[in-house]
Amino acid sequence: MEKTFEESLGFRHACKVFDDEKKISDEDIKYILEAGRRSPSSFGMEAWKFLVITNEELKLKLRPACWSQAQITTCSHLVIILAGIESVKPESGIPKKRFARRNMPQESLDFYLKLYAEHLADTLSSDENIYAWTAKQTAFAGANMMSAAAVRGIDSCPIEGFDRDQVEDILNIDKSKFRLSMAIPFGYRLNEQSSQVRLDFDEVVEFIN
Ligand SMILES: Cc1cc2nc3c(=O)[nH]c(=O)nc-3n(C[C@H](O)[C@H](O)[C@H](O)COP(=O)(O)O)c2cc1C
């Protein structure tokens, strides 16, 4: 039985240790990844890639580069979210392809490409600026994946506690094309209870009428 959205909000927590005997089914991991794939992205660029790691040797290699966190090796599926770098540069020709998917007339396509390049001039001026922009967007994909997992009673943990260069080198990432944004292990918790600690509603929400 799938959890309601409300139930899944209460179920999800940053899982610290997974039961390494329990594996996520192919159907469930596809459901989770699909929630990432269908996430919103700025100008519809989808500047991300999801690596799904189940190889135990590779997980063992990655763990020291991720502050030796137990989730890396005990999870069922380790999803590595990469932020696109090259694919958002106008000169790569990819933004044009992304816009062209919407079957618009040539003049609209030209308009959007011009708007894109002008609006993002500063963002596109360096790979570090691009990373800041695209990595931010990958958080939507990651959050959607974790919510989808929770709906099916599957645990997760968003992980930024890593040495970015080390992880990228282990995974042979071409840094001109992609940079590491986030690691999200998925699996089933081992005797853990979620106890959410949160600020009060009124402290984080302000209605402006
Ligand atoms: C960007 C980001 C990075 C995080 N990195 C780690 C991490 O490296 N290791 C970890 O155990 N939890 C990590 N967390 C989980 C947070 O510590 C956790 O979400 C927060 O303390 C609230 O707890 P809860 O999610 O269990 O309710 C990270 C969360 C976010 C959003």
Side-chain angles (χ1 to χ4, degrees):
M1 252 277 278
E2 292 194 345
K3 294 185 195 309
T4 63
F5 187 67
E6 179 61 28
E7 286 166 345
S8 64
L9 281 179
F11 171 84
R12 192 214 57 79
H13 76 301
C15 185
K16 302 300 175 197
V17 189
F18 297 93
D19 182 343
D20 59 10
E21 301 283 309
K22 288 195 190 159
K23 302 295 174 198
I24 299 171
S25 71
D26 288 349
E27 207 266 310
D28 280 344
I29 196 70
K30 280 191 189 134
Y31 177 81
I32 291 168
L33 293 161
E34 190 63 359
R37 186 181 74 87
R38 293 169 69 169
S39 298
S41 61
S42 185
F43 286 99
M45 286 299 122
E46 300 176 61
W48 48 49
K49 185 164 183 179
F50 315 132
L51 308 178
V52 186
I53 299 172
T54 50
N55 181 293
E56 300 301 334
E57 261 175 58
L58 185 53
K59 286 200 244 161
L60 262 179
K61 252 195 220 170
L62 286 167
R63 184 169 164 170
C66 300
W67 298 0
S68 290
Q69 298 186 70
Q71 298 97 316
I72 302 296
T73 47
T74 58
C75 71
S76 166
H77 290 64
L78 175 62
V79 174
I80 301 284
I81 302 188
L82 302 178
I85 303 295
E86 186 190 48
S87 67
V88 295
K89 294 181 179 174
E91 62 270 27
S92 72
I94 298 173
K96 189 176 178 180
K97 270 196 207 161
R98 299 279 192 267
F99 285 127
R101 295 182 299 178
R102 296 179 190 268
N103 288 328
M104 55 180 95
Q106 184 65 40
E107 71 187 60
S108 303
L109 183 61
D110 293 342
F111 170 81
Y112 277 115
L113 274 170
K114 189 164 173 284
L115 177 75
Y116 178 85
E118 282 176 6
H119 175 70
L120 296 172
D122 185 44
T123 300
L124 298 171
S125 65
S126 73
D127 283 11
E128 272 309 308
N129 284 1
I130 289 176
Y131 174 74
W133 181 57
T134 55
K136 180 173 70 177
Q137 297 169 49
T138 63
F140 293 113
N144 278 344
M145 286 190 219
M146 291 188 285
S147 297
V151 163
R152 297 233 168 150
I154 295 168
D155 289 294
S156 61
C157 183
I159 286 192
E160 229 178 25
F162 47 62
D163 181 310
R164 187 171 65 160
D165 285 302
Q166 274 182 26
V167 173
E168 289 168 344
D169 290 344
I170 293 168
L171 296 172
N172 289 319
I173 308 295
D174 177 346
K175 296 175 191 181
S176 69
K177 293 196 165 69
F178 288 102
R179 299 293 318 249
L180 169 65
S181 172
M182 206 185 310
I184 311 187
F186 291 93
Y188 294 90
R189 68 184 71 181
L190 192 67
N191 305 323
E192 272 182 17
Q193 297 302 317
S194 40
S195 54
Q196 282 181 351
V197 179
R198 291 294 186 272
L199 297 172
D200 287 338
F201 188 88
D202 290 340
E203 230 177 311
V204 290
V205 179
E206 184 180 343
F207 292 97
I208 300 174
N209 298 315

